[in-house]
Every structure is written in C-alpha cells, then in structure tokens.
Amino acid sequence: MSVSILGSRESGQNIRDTNVRAVQAVANIVKSSLGPNGLDKMLVDEIGDVVISNDGATILRSLEVQHPAAKVLVELSRLQDQEVGDGTTSVVIVAAELLKRANDLVKYKIHPTTIIAGYRLAMKESIQYIKDYLSVKTETLGKDAILNVAKTSLNSKLIGAESDHFANMIVNCVEAVGIVGPNKDVKYPIKSIKVLKCIGLSAKESVHLNGFALMTGRTAQGMPTSIKNARIACLDFNLNKFKLQMGIQVLVNDAKNLEKIRIRELEITKERIQKVLKAGANVVLVTKAIDDFALKYFVEAGAIAVRRVDKKDIRKIAKQCGAEVLITLMNNEGEEVFNESSLGSAEEVTEERLGDNDFIFIKGMKKSSSQTLILRGANEFMLDETERSVHDAICVVKRVLESKSVVVGGGAVETALSIYLDSFARTLGSKEQLAISEFAESLLVIPKTLAINAAQDACDLLAKMKMYHAASQSSSEEKKQEYKYVGLDLANGKVRNNLKAGVLEPTISKIKSLKFATEAAISILRIDDLIELAPKPEKERDGH
Amino acid sequence: MIPGNSAPVIVLNTNTQTDDGKRAQLANIRASRAVADIIRTTLGPKSMLKMLLDPMGGIVMTNDGNAILREIDVKHPAAKSMIELSRTQDDEVGDGTTSVIILAGELMTVSEPFFTMKIHPIIIVSSYFKAMDHALKVAEKIAREISVENHEEIADVIHSCIGTKFSSRWGSLIVDLAVQAVKAVFINKNGKKEVDIKRYAKVEKIPGGNLEDSRVLNGVMFNKDVTHPKMRRFIQNPRIMLLDCPLEYKKAESMTNVEMTKEEDFAEILRQEEEEVCKLCQAIMKFNPDIVITEKGVSDIAQHFLLKQNISVIRRIRKTDNNRIARVSGATIVNRPEELQESDIGTKCKRFEIKLVGDEYYTFMEECEEPKACSILLRGGTKDVLNEIERNLQDAMSVARNIILDPKLVPGGGAVEMHVATELTKIANSIEGIEQWPFLAAATAFEVIPRTLAQNCGCNVIRIVTELRSKHAEESKDAPYWGIDGNEGKLADMRVIKIWEPLVVKKQTFKTAVESAAMLLRIDNVVSGISKKEKKQGPAGNIEDAEI
C-alpha cells in the first residue's frame, strides 16, 4: 500500500491516454478554421458579448480550457501568436498529431524517452532541411512575393475577399516604418503602426494613412479644424489651475492675500500656456486635463489643443515630429521656460470626421515613419476580427521583410519534410527510426486538414503531392527540382506549383511553429503521473 | 469528438454549450431572419409603427429600424450582430436602417438551401462579395447628380425618404424644416464641406400646440429664464457676453487656511469675498453688455449688481448650447471676466426674447446674421409623438446632409434594387462553376426590398413583383426607373412620382448587409456561456417558431 494522497492520482498509460484525448479535443476545435477554406467560430460569453474569430490563439484563449494538458496547447498557440503572430492554428494541430502518434508508439512498448529523442532529431533535421532546400530568398521573387505573403495570411480570414486591397495597404504600411539599424539591417517596428477601428462603410474602404491619428476631437469647438505647418508641443502635465501638493496648507493671516493666492493660481497656468504659444506652438497635445478657462487662450491664438492624449501615443508623436515630451517647464535655474527647440513640426494637423467619431490626423511629420490603418466595417465584431487578421498579416510581412526568406505554403513544406524524414529514418538503425517516421507522418496532418476543410479528396491529393515531392528529392534533374514547390490548390481540388501561384509563408514562421509544436508534444509526453490535490478542507466546521 | 470508450475527459468548461456544423449555421440563419421579420412591416409608405415597452415602463412608438432594434433585447449572438448593423447604418448615413436589416436577413435566408446542398460556405461568401461589387457598380451607373443649390430637388428626395414615416401626414413640413436646418449649418470652407447636425442643429421639443407651429429658428433657443424676475425679457440688438465661469466667489485650488484672531478679521474676509464678486461684475459692466450668459452659477450679489446695470443674466446653460449661441451671435466664450475684449462681445443676434411656452419659459435668440447653428422648435400633441417626429427629423436631416455632401441620387421605391437584381442575374450567366448558384441567389435576395414594399401596401405581391421584373428586363432606357408606388400599390416611373434616394445610403446598405451576412455565414461553431456562472440559455426561444 502506497502512501495515500489527499486527492486523485492517475498514472502510466492511463494518464497518457487522457492527455492525448484532451489535446486531441482541443485540436479538433480549431481544426475547421485552418486554411483558406476554414470557417470561423462564434464565441459568446456569459454576458452575451460575442467574439467571431478565425484566429486559433483567440479562439483557444476565449474557450476557458480546463484540462491541464490541453492548457499546454492553449499556451502554445499564445506563444506562437507572440513570437510569430501567425500560424497559431497549425501549431496546435501539429502538436496534437505528434502526441497522438507518440502515444501509439508507447503502446508498442517503446519508451517515451526514445520517442522524445527521435522527435528531437527529426525536428532538427527538418529545420535544417527547410533552411537548406525549401526556403526561397525574397530577392529572387520580387516585390510581389511580399504581397503574396500578406495575401496568403489574409486569405484564410474574414477579409479574404478583399485580400488584394488589404495586402497592398499592409505591405506599404510595414515598408514605410522600416528603420535601418546600425548593422545596415532594416528593422520593422510594427508598434509604429497604429490600427484604428471605426464602424461604418465597408471593409474595402479601410484606408492607410501616412501619419498618426488620434481618436479624439479637439478640445474646444472654437479651435480651427486644420493647421498647415504645424508646430507641435507635447506636454505631460496638467493645464488646470495650479494646485499645491496634497498636505501642504497655506496659512493666511491677511484676508487680502487669500484673493492673491487665487489669482496667482490662474496666472501660473496662463503664463505657462502663453510661454508655449509664444514659442510658436500651434498644436498642443496634453496627456492630462486642460481646464476650461485655459481653452480661451488657445482659441484666441488659433491653436489646436488636444487633451487626454494617451501617453504611449504622445511619446510616439514626439519621437517622430522631433518634439520633446515635457514633464515640466522648469529649467535648471528654477525658472519656467519653453524653448522653441522642444517643438516638433508636421506639415498638417487636421480634424476629420469618420463615421460618428472625430479623428485628429497628424500628417507629414519630420521623421515620419508612423503609419495608421483605419479599418472600417459593418459592425463591431467584424472590426475586431479584421483587426486581428490585419495584425497577423502585419506580423507576417514584418517577418518576411526582416528575414528575407519564404517557404511555399499550401502543405508543400510539410509534404516535402515528410518524404525527406521518411527516407532519413531509414538511415538509422535504432528505435528512433520509428519515432522519426511517425513524426514524418504527423506533419501530413496539415495538408490533410486543408483538403478536408475545402471538401476535397484528401487521400487523392496527398498521394499526388507525395509523388511529386518524392520525385524532386530523388532526382537532380532541373525540371524535377521544381516539384518541391508543389502544394495544394484548394479552390480547384488539384495540386500545382505554389511558388508560381504565390502561396507563400515566412520561413521563420514555419520553423518556429515546428519547434514549438515538438517541444509542446514532448513536454506532455514526458508526463506519466497526474496528481490532483483535493482542496484543503475548510477549517471552520459548522457547529455540530 | 473524443475517441475511446473510457470515461470522457473534461477539457472545456462543462457549462458551455456548443453548437457546431450545420446546426450552428442554420441557427444563425434563423436568428437573422427572425430579426428581419420583426421590422419587415415598417418598410415603405404604408408602414406600421411598433410600440415598445421598456423595462422601466416607458413607451417608444416608432417605425425607425434602429430605434426599434435598439430597444429589443435579443439573446442569440447572430441576432445581436444583426442589430449592430442598423446602428452602423444610423451612424454612417442616418437612413435606411430598416432596409439594411431586411436585406441582410434575406441574404442569409437564400443561402440556406446551399447548406443542405453542401456547398462550401467560403464559396457562398466569395460569390456574395462578387455580387456586392457588381451591385455597387450598377447602382453607380444609374445614379444621377443634382445641383446642391436646387432647393426643390433636395426637398423631393427628403420627401420620398420621409414619406415612409409617421410624420408624412403633415406633408412637406418636416422636409422644409430639415432643408432649412441643414442649409443653416452647412459650411463650405475652401472646398471642405462640413455639415455638423449633431452639434449645431438642436431639436427642442415642447409638447402642446400644433405641429404646424414647428419651425426652424433663425438662431437658437433653450429652456432657461433670466435669473431675476426684474431683468429685461425682450431686447432688440443686444450685446451678448458668453462666460463659462461662475459669477460667485471662487475658492482657491490649493489648501488655504485663514487664521483669524480678531473678530474684525472675519468681517474683513466676508467683505473681501463680496468685493471680489463686485470686481467681476465691474469687469463685465465695462463692456456694457445687455445679456450675460454663463455655464455656471451666479450668486445673488452678482445678480444684484448686474440688475442695477439693467443687464439680463442667464445661468447654468449647457456647454453645447453655449457653443451654439457663440456661433449665432459671433461672441467668444470667455472664462475670466477681467480678460474680456471688445471682440468677445457678440452683436450678430438682433432679437432676444423670453417667452412663456406651455408653462415654461424659453429663451429665444433670433434674427441672426448668417447663423451657423440653429434650433428646431417642434410642437405637437404628446411627448411620444414628438419623440417620433424628432427621429423622423433626424433622418430627414441626415438625408439632406448626405445629398449636400454627395449629390447623387438613385430611384427609390425598390427600383434600384430590382435593377440590381436584374443586372446581377444577367452577369450570373457568365460565371463559371458552383459560384453561379450563390451569385444568382444574391441577385434574387435584392428583390426582397420591392417585394416587402408590395407586401406592406397590401397588393398582389406575386403579380406586381413579376410585372416589375419584366419591366426591368426590357432593354429600354426607362427600365431602371420602374419601381413600386407604395401608396397606390402600382408600378410607376420613379422619375414621374419623384421618389429618389441618396446613392450613399443605398451603397452603404448594400455593403453593410453583404459584409455582415458573409461574416455570419463563415461561422461553423458557436460556443456560448463561457465562464463559470450558471448555465446560459442558448438561442432565444422564440427564434425557433419564427417564420416569414
């Protein structure tokens, strides 16, 4: 009799079966959303809020998965979302398949560690193979390649019908934010792309703006709606009546002085504003409040003042228009001054009305690398989903522009790897051989699912693809080399050269998703015991 | 879903309810159809009103699609998403809120057979989008441009849009109000057109009187009286001063304590406070205004000083009202009286008058030079009627705004929809593959608008719609203009009976309807009731019973 535990315990083959089933269930949920013919899920929470999504990470995050092993998978898709931004569905499907096949091997009495070793080896080999043979440099493909990458990512989403429009927008947008780093490599900080949502019109009317947009109106109606040659001041302090810190009390002996204090309070803010305006500022952005009494000075000076600008936004604006975000006007001598050098400049600042909201646009900034996408759509759910899809595409484009290498999509890479690993496995004489061939077989789940989602004959298509890839790997003929780009054409239910058809994905996304999926499968595979502790009994007993 | 025969593994929260595959798709279709059915009868000139009781016991009577759906509490997520549509339409163009729901509902309904035929939803969606592109082109083609200056034509358009509403009984009254109001707030600044109805055209509803007494003021009005009964209530050519500060003693922001040792000190402080108010008033009096209007309070003592100078004071008006007054009178809103300038005084308003309307006092500021804002005074029997008329007026003003911003018109009365349907059917023949089916279905879906119009006016639906279809199939030049005269229940040339609608509204309707239908069709799994609380109901119960 073993030491008893407070709680339940499951071990050995039992727990492995349970885990595999849980993981399988999660994968089944997202399976139907994979690929250009994947469908969406509608998730309703208890208040009745609706999320409509095609993004694996979003779906799983909203689902409140309870099983611990299944949670690993949810984490996995979140990780993929953070690291790559796209491919969140496929990573889950591959991991689940790897696990299922590993479990079958364990049933044949192969020790899990052997399988793990085999999987690790297979993963390393496949990554090497992708890098050496399957990836294509974007230089050889031209600008269209990058557009195609964006389109491939968008095609599986709600806005797939407008993928041309969005792909163009996104590629222009990401290219515009490029910054040349110290080592001459170009970085694309996608944080400089601001995505705003505005209900109304249709998805096709979404626009790309070279500049920055704020989703607020100007503070007073008397201010102009448009200013050319704007000089921008960014202030990070209150323009309210001056107020001493909490806890400071002023003791007044003479009643006349009381009035003076009051007037002084107003004067301090007024002086500050006038200093800023005097330096030539005609657009003033403030992160905090502006008192009503202060607005008059801006109106009279014909300046636009915007209050409660998000701190993150103001920093970005300041960086790009060359302004300084001032926390105080104090200088070293203790006097309050506002230098002209703290002002930034932009060609134009305007307020425009889209739908029912006011937007402030800052266009033509000095170091302009900031881009704004304004998404339009029929309703909120649609806009949310559009935003997620656009985010995925932006991430993908960024990856491709930075790594400059792509692989062919539509199941081509997976099939090629599967064929390669299969033959690689035969060169090994140990038990790992079995694990590697199972790994090879697991990868095929991607083309299979793609075909099933498109309601095509998966077996037939897979056989054709395998044939082409085997031919390309076994012979060195020029013509047959082309066959390694053969992937699925889901609309017509055929196979085709997907490199020519422009179905492309970033190499790094494929590599990372392989890595993550294998690691996740391994970590679940290693489990052979699940101990669930019962919650501690309540200390307070009801009185009997 | 779960293989094996041992005890099921609980992966998801057990409280959730999942609908997947065909069940979810069909439920979505039914839900959206149910929403469309609710408001189907409110389309067209022979439309009926809906009476809604809200949980508080209040009544809303309306035939405005958005207003109806806003009040309805639906449970099914797809129905919720449909309701959002009419809000979008309202925000963007302000009219056509009913037709967008009907069209979206129909697009969903016609897709139902394809699900049983096992056509992939993606194919349906992509052909819907194609149909939308073509529909927009067709609508664009038959649109005609009018001149913004042409008052009559604009009035005609608004007339046809408002013709479907409750207020159409009063003929052109609402139309005239809307045109006048929009003209008043229209600003054309170096080619940039601005029509801000929300901020500068305020509707004031006063129950009582006749609807015919409603008018657009050449200025503004608001529900306030002078603070002191002895102040003047009628002033010709007033000098107006606008403030947004209180005319009372303001405390300092910082913590200030006064230590008083002698009794005189106390009196001194009181005197000081009085003196401050006095100083404020003096600063005001220097400019010799006739009216002082402030957003904040006015103390008794300030009233006293100002009354002595024969200045009328109005206090605690809203910021938005103050902005409007600033626009009509040419005054600047000032915060510190000691910083007043002559230019801050407004003189453009020629007549200030406080009148007793019903049993409340209202301030009228009229006869302004070039007012860039206005108030619309609505009178009418009861509050509910007034509310409905206000909604109609808002729609009318939106239509007027749309025309001024984009003066393109398409024939109404279902003519444009029928034309789109005809053209799409022609195009459908040239489409290869399975996509042709959904495309054709989308084409027929557009016919729902003329069909519903015919239904609502009680004529023989099948005969009249068929007749209309054949009219449109003719290759003549007049074909696109044939529509249904909703009053007579006959076919008519829309050019003759002058039923026009703005192109922007129609375009927005098509886009919103198709996009949302596409979104709902792509769903193959509905998981509801996420989170731990008690089990939620799935689809709203009544949806199952709903039928066309």
Side-chain angles (χ1 to χ4, degrees):
Chain A
M1 185 69 204
S2 61
V3 188
S4 69
I5 322 163
L6 268 180
S8 60
R9 179 176 175 195
E10 228 180 324
S11 61
Q13 191 55 41
N14 253 343
I15 178 65
R16 268 193 290 274
D17 282 344
T18 321
N19 281 346
V20 167
R21 250 179 274 141
V23 167
Q24 210 60 32
V26 170
N28 275 335
I29 293 170
V30 291
K31 216 171 203 172
S32 68
S33 67
L34 183 78
N37 293 52
L39 294 173
D40 296 357
K41 311 275 166 210
M42 182 180 240
L43 309 161
V44 190
D45 71 7
E46 51 158 9
I47 321 165
D49 274 353
V50 181
V51 176
I52 295 177
S53 186
N54 181 279
D55 181 46
T58 312
I59 297 171
L60 292 180
R61 201 176 334 119
S62 330
L63 269 180
E64 283 201 16
V65 171
Q66 279 180 334
H67 194 278
K71 267 190 187 158
V72 174
L73 244 64
V74 177
E75 275 300 299
L76 173 68
S77 77
R78 204 177 56 88
L79 184 72
Q80 175 83 5
D81 196 30
Q82 273 175 2
E83 285 275 313
V84 189
D86 195 23
T88 49
T89 311
S90 52
V91 74
V92 171
I93 296 178
V94 172
E97 187 70 14
L98 283 174
L99 204 58
K100 190 176 108 190
R101 292 188 179 266
N103 193 39
D104 291 345
L105 284 180
V106 177
K107 282 184 187 155
Y108 295 131
K109 306 278 178 237
I110 297 177
H111 197 273
T113 49
T114 318
I115 303 172
I116 290 169
Y119 274 12
R120 284 242 163 83
L121 187 62
M123 178 186 85
K124 250 182 235 150
E125 273 303 314
S126 8
I127 289 170
Q128 203 53 45
Y129 192 73
I130 294 178
K131 280 186 185 158
D132 291 349
Y133 296 101
L134 296 176
S135 68
V136 186
K137 287 278 159 213
T138 45
E139 287 100 357
T140 56
L141 296 170
K143 195 192 162 172
D144 276 356
I146 297 175
L147 269 178
N148 282 333
V149 170
K151 265 189 234 169
T152 309
S153 163
L154 288 168
N155 259 334
S156 61
K157 312 284 184 186
L158 178 61
I159 47 175
E162 323 290 2
S163 63
D164 282 343
H165 176 73
F166 279 99
N168 257 321
M169 243 168 50
I170 288 165
V171 171
N172 286 339
C173 211
V174 179
E175 277 180 346
V177 297
I179 300 169
V180 181
N183 312 331
K184 293 234 168 148
D185 52 344
V186 191
K187 287 270 174 238
Y188 297 89
I190 51 172
K191 274 190 188 155
S192 333
I193 301 174
K194 197 169 159 80
V195 180
L196 290 175
K197 296 176 282 185
C198 178
I199 293 181
L201 292 179
S202 72
K204 228 181 182 170
E205 260 103 333
S206 301
V207 282
H208 162 225
L209 262 176
N210 188 356
F212 205 88
L214 292 168
M215 209 171 155
T216 43
R218 60 207 201 283
T219 314
Q221 289 303 311
M223 294 172 181
T225 50
S226 162
I227 287 181
K228 291 243 158 67
N229 295 325
R231 309 276 289 144
I232 303 169
C234 300
L235 308 178
D236 190 10
F237 52 83
N238 261 329
L239 287 179
N240 275 346
K241 277 182 235 167
F242 182 79
K243 196 175 169 183
L244 287 170
Q245 297 287 315
M246 282 280 278
I248 299 181
Q249 292 197 350
V250 185
L251 207 59
V252 183
N253 282 321
D254 187 354
K256 274 186 194 133
N257 291 337
L258 195 64
E259 185 52 30
K260 278 188 194 147
I261 290 175
R262 201 174 67 79
I263 291 182
R264 189 62 205 142
E265 283 180 352
L266 293 177
E267 288 296 321
I268 287 175
T269 310
K270 183 183 167 189
E271 277 165 23
R272 283 183 182 165
I273 293 169
Q274 273 165 351
K275 268 175 197 150
V276 173
L277 290 174
K278 219 173 188 179
N282 49 19
V283 176
V284 181
L285 308 176
V286 181
T287 53
K288 294 186 179 149
I290 305 177
D291 198 296
D292 280 350
F293 88 90
L295 292 177
K296 178 174 171 273
Y297 308 119
F298 293 111
V299 174
E300 273 172 4
I304 292 181
V306 185
R307 65 180 155 199
R308 305 207 190 283
V309 180
D310 193 43
K311 220 165 199 171
K312 269 186 244 149
D313 288 343
I314 210 169
R315 268 194 216 123
K316 276 186 214 161
I317 295 171
K319 204 170 147 201
Q320 283 154 16
C321 68
E324 214 180 319
V325 182
L326 297 173
I327 329 172
T328 169
L329 291 182
M330 215 64 86
N331 65 4
N332 288 342
E333 278 78 49
E335 285 166 30
E336 295 208 318
V337 284
F338 187 86
N339 287 326
E340 222 184 309
S341 59
S342 318
L343 287 175
S345 57
E347 273 166 31
E348 199 182 6
V349 174
T350 55
E351 187 199 77
E352 273 163 48
R353 194 158 168 234
L354 291 174
D356 233 12
N357 297 312
D358 291 326
F359 289 86
I360 298 244
F361 293 118
I362 304 173
K363 293 174 195 160
M365 287 191 269
K366 208 164 70 185
K367 275 189 275 179
S368 185
S369 61
S370 166
Q371 305 290 317
T372 305
L373 288 175
I374 298 178
L375 304 179
R376 311 298 307 263
N379 58 24
E380 230 169 287
F381 319 131
M382 189 152 176
L383 280 177
D384 288 343
E385 173 63 1
T386 311
E387 189 191 11
R388 280 189 288 271
S389 317
V390 166
H391 170 257
D392 281 7
I394 289 175
C395 290
V396 167
V397 170
K398 166 198 152 94
R399 295 282 165 204
V400 172
L401 285 172
E402 278 176 9
S403 68
K404 294 203 173 53
S405 97
V406 290
V407 289
V408 178
V413 170
E414 285 82 3
T415 319
L417 282 179
S418 165
I419 302 275
Y420 168 72
L421 287 176
D422 217 27
S423 50
F424 169 75
R426 272 174 232 147
T427 61
L428 293 174
S430 56
K431 272 186 185 169
E432 274 95 0
Q433 188 198 48
L434 290 168
I436 294 174
S437 20
E438 287 301 318
F439 189 97
E441 200 58 30
S442 318
L443 290 176
L444 290 179
V445 72
I446 296 286
K448 255 187 234 163
T449 315
L450 283 175
I452 291 169
N453 283 349
Q456 306 290 3
D457 189 342
C459 298
D460 183 39
L461 287 175
L462 211 58
K464 274 190 196 140
M465 276 191 23
K466 272 177 158 175
M467 179 197 80
Y468 278 115
H469 284 278
S472 93
Q473 283 175 26
S474 60
S475 120
S476 55
E477 258 179 76
E478 186 95 342
K479 193 174 156 241
K480 289 197 174 156
Q481 281 301 308
E482 290 274 295
Y483 288 160
K484 69 179 174 190
Y485 303 126
V486 167
L488 295 166
D489 175 4
L490 292 167
N492 301 320
K494 289 189 191 125
V495 292
R496 65 171 171 195
N497 184 335
N498 267 351
L499 185 68
K500 284 194 185 131
V503 182
L504 301 170
E505 286 174 69
T507 309
I508 194 142
S509 151
K510 268 274 146 22
I511 291 180
K512 288 226 162 136
S513 80
L514 260 183
K515 265 191 201 162
F516 292 154
T518 318
E519 293 294 337
I522 288 175
S523 64
I524 298 176
L525 192 60
R526 288 179 67 94
I527 299 169
D528 79 332
D529 219 332
L530 174 80
I531 301 169
E532 208 171 336
L533 289 180
K536 273 189 188 160
E538 300 246 337
K539 278 200 177 148
E540 280 168 287
R541 302 270 161 89
D542 27 353
H544 57 73
Chain B
M1 198 195 283
I2 299 162
N5 45 12
S6 55
V9 185
I10 299 164
V11 180
L12 294 177
N13 191 322
T14 41
N15 288 336
T16 58
Q17 185 181 347
T18 320
D19 263 347
D20 56 358
K22 214 165 128 191
R23 275 243 315 275
Q25 282 155 345
L26 292 181
N28 281 344
I29 290 174
R30 266 202 297 277
S32 26
R33 200 169 59 197
V35 173
D37 280 343
I38 295 172
I39 57 167
R40 192 179 293 275
T41 56
T42 62
L43 188 81
K46 285 273 162 72
S47 66
M48 305 303 274
L49 294 190
K50 302 270 168 198
M51 186 183 231
L52 306 164
L53 277 172
D54 65 19
M56 310 292 290
I59 308 173
V60 182
M61 274 192 299
T62 182
N63 77 348
D64 182 90
N66 183 35
I68 298 170
L69 294 177
R70 207 173 37 204
E71 300 290 332
I72 293 177
D73 192 17
V74 292
K75 278 203 182 113
H76 196 281
K80 247 184 206 155
S81 135
M82 290 282 287
I83 284 171
E84 281 276 306
L85 295 185
S86 73
R87 197 168 70 95
T88 311
Q89 182 82 5
D90 203 40
D91 283 358
E92 190 68 31
V93 288
D95 189 34
T97 47
T98 309
S99 28
V100 70
I101 299 282
I102 295 183
L103 189 55
E106 187 69 13
L107 281 168
M108 295 291 286
T109 313
V110 293
S111 72
E112 194 175 335
F114 301 128
F115 282 97
T116 31
M117 280 159 73
K118 304 242 163 77
I119 291 183
H120 201 286
I122 297 291
I123 293 173
I124 305 178
V125 168
S126 79
S127 54
Y128 272 18
F129 273 113
K130 255 188 215 154
M132 178 179 87
D133 279 347
H134 286 296
L136 293 178
K137 271 184 217 141
V138 172
E140 196 102 38
K141 221 163 64 193
I142 62 170
R144 74 187 180 105
E145 204 158 332
I146 58 162
S147 138
V148 187
E149 301 306 320
N150 191 341
H151 236 204
E152 251 168 57
E153 266 192 295
I154 295 181
D156 276 346
V157 182
I158 303 174
H159 208 277
S160 64
C161 295
I162 299 310
T164 67
K165 311 277 177 184
F166 177 61
S167 56
S168 60
R169 297 214 321 249
W170 287 278
S172 63
L173 180 78
I174 297 288
V175 178
D176 294 340
L177 290 180
V179 173
Q180 274 176 35
V182 171
K183 285 257 163 184
V185 298
F186 174 58
I187 298 173
N188 194 346
K189 209 162 64 188
N190 27 354
K192 216 170 120 185
K193 293 174 182 171
E194 187 198 297
V195 182
D196 198 336
I197 303 170
K198 205 166 104 191
R199 287 205 185 95
Y200 297 122
K202 176 92 200 300
V203 178
E204 296 282 350
K205 297 166 285 186
I206 310 177
N210 283 325
L211 194 70
E212 284 78 15
D213 300 338
S214 308
R215 63 198 173 96
V216 175
L217 269 59
N218 189 12
V220 292
M221 62 169 290
F222 42 89
N223 182 4
K224 284 280 182 262
D225 191 9
V226 284
T227 51
H228 194 283
K230 276 196 185 143
M231 287 174 180
R232 284 185 291 169
R233 287 213 166 88
F234 179 80
I235 305 171
Q236 286 280 9
N237 296 326
R239 287 166 62 78
I240 301 164
M241 182 186 283
L242 301 179
L243 299 173
D244 65 349
C245 63
L247 291 179
E248 31 196 47
Y249 185 73
K250 279 184 271 190
K251 271 201 218 121
E253 288 278 314
S254 306
M255 286 274 277
T256 44
N257 283 10
V258 183
E259 198 166 88
M260 283 178 286
T261 43
K262 290 176 292 207
E263 202 188 329
E264 299 88 78
D265 281 358
F266 189 65
E268 172 71 19
I269 283 180
L270 288 180
R271 202 183 53 76
Q272 184 79 30
E273 290 190 359
E274 237 167 71
E275 213 167 78
E276 273 317 307
V277 176
C278 184
K279 252 193 233 162
L280 279 179
C281 292
Q282 268 160 6
I284 291 169
M285 287 179 227
K286 234 180 9 202
F287 288 90
N288 205 14
D290 294 306
I291 308 163
V292 172
I293 298 175
T294 176
E295 290 169 27
K296 308 273 162 69
V298 178
S299 68
D300 286 351
I301 187 154
Q303 279 179 38
H304 168 78
F305 286 125
L306 294 172
L307 178 64
K308 272 205 292 197
Q309 285 292 314
N310 206 8
I311 298 171
S312 297
V313 182
I314 292 173
R315 66 180 166 191
R316 297 192 202 286
I317 71 160
R318 269 183 300 225
K319 182 95 200 160
T320 47
D321 281 332
N322 213 5
N323 274 333
R324 270 193 290 277
I325 301 172
R327 269 216 174 183
V328 295
S329 64
T332 314
I333 302 171
V334 178
N335 185 271
R336 293 177 68 180
E338 55 269 36
E339 284 173 1
L340 274 164
Q341 294 162 9
E342 180 55 36
S343 61
D344 295 338
I345 305 286
T347 53
K348 280 192 190 161
C349 174
K350 296 296 176 217
R351 188 180 142 116
F352 167 86
E353 194 180 0
I354 294 177
K355 280 193 262 190
L356 185 70
V357 185
D359 61 348
E360 276 185 88
Y361 285 97
Y362 288 86
T363 306
F364 290 81
M365 299 175 83
E366 288 185 83
E367 292 174 23
C368 306
E369 298 166 18
E370 297 185 358
K372 284 294 165 226
C374 66
S375 291
I376 303 152
L377 172 62
L378 283 187
R379 304 297 312 269
T382 64
K383 233 173 96 194
D384 296 325
V385 173
L386 277 178
N387 281 339
E388 174 64 359
I389 290 176
E390 186 194 353
R391 275 189 289 272
N392 296 163
L393 186 59
Q394 293 290 3
D395 279 6
M397 287 198 288
S398 307
V399 173
R401 179 192 66 189
N402 291 334
I403 299 171
I404 286 180
L405 294 181
D406 186 7
K408 277 189 182 158
L409 303 178
V410 289
V416 65
E417 284 86 358
M418 187 47 100
H419 190 61
V420 165
T422 324
E423 291 296 308
L424 288 188
T425 319
K426 278 184 209 157
I427 298 167
N429 293 332
S430 63
I431 290 178
E432 283 174 23
I434 344 170
E435 286 204 355
Q436 197 191 69
W437 293 87
F439 193 92
L440 210 55
T444 42
F446 281 98
E447 285 182 15
V448 73
I449 302 285
R451 196 167 63 229
T452 314
L453 271 176
Q455 253 166 20
N456 287 351
C457 67
C459 55
N460 188 333
V461 179
I462 297 176
R463 182 181 301 158
I464 204 156
V465 173
T466 327
E467 213 173 307
L468 184 61
R469 203 179 291 145
S470 70
K471 280 272 184 211
H472 278 267
E474 278 172 27
E475 287 290 328
S476 78
K477 249 195 357 235
D478 304 333
Y481 299 104
W482 284 96
I484 293 173
D485 179 348
N487 285 316
E488 305 284 327
K490 281 193 230 138
L491 293 190
D493 190 329
M494 290 297 136
R495 288 172 300 185
V496 177
I497 58 168
K498 290 187 183 162
I499 304 285
W500 295 96
E501 283 180 76
L503 175 65
V504 266
V505 174
K506 275 284 162 264
K507 271 165 81 179
Q508 179 68 31
T509 312
F510 293 172
K511 284 180 210 159
T512 318
V514 172
E515 283 193 356
S516 67
M519 179 177 70
L520 291 176
L521 289 176
R522 279 178 60 105
I523 293 163
D524 76 332
N525 206 335
V526 178
V527 183
S528 46
I530 299 164
S531 203
K532 279 132 206 147
K533 292 214 183 125
E534 76 223 271
K535 200 167 178 179
K536 255 200 88 165
Q537 295 248 305
N542 59 348
I543 280 169
E544 297 293 324
D545 327 322
E547 270 176 57
I548 296 181

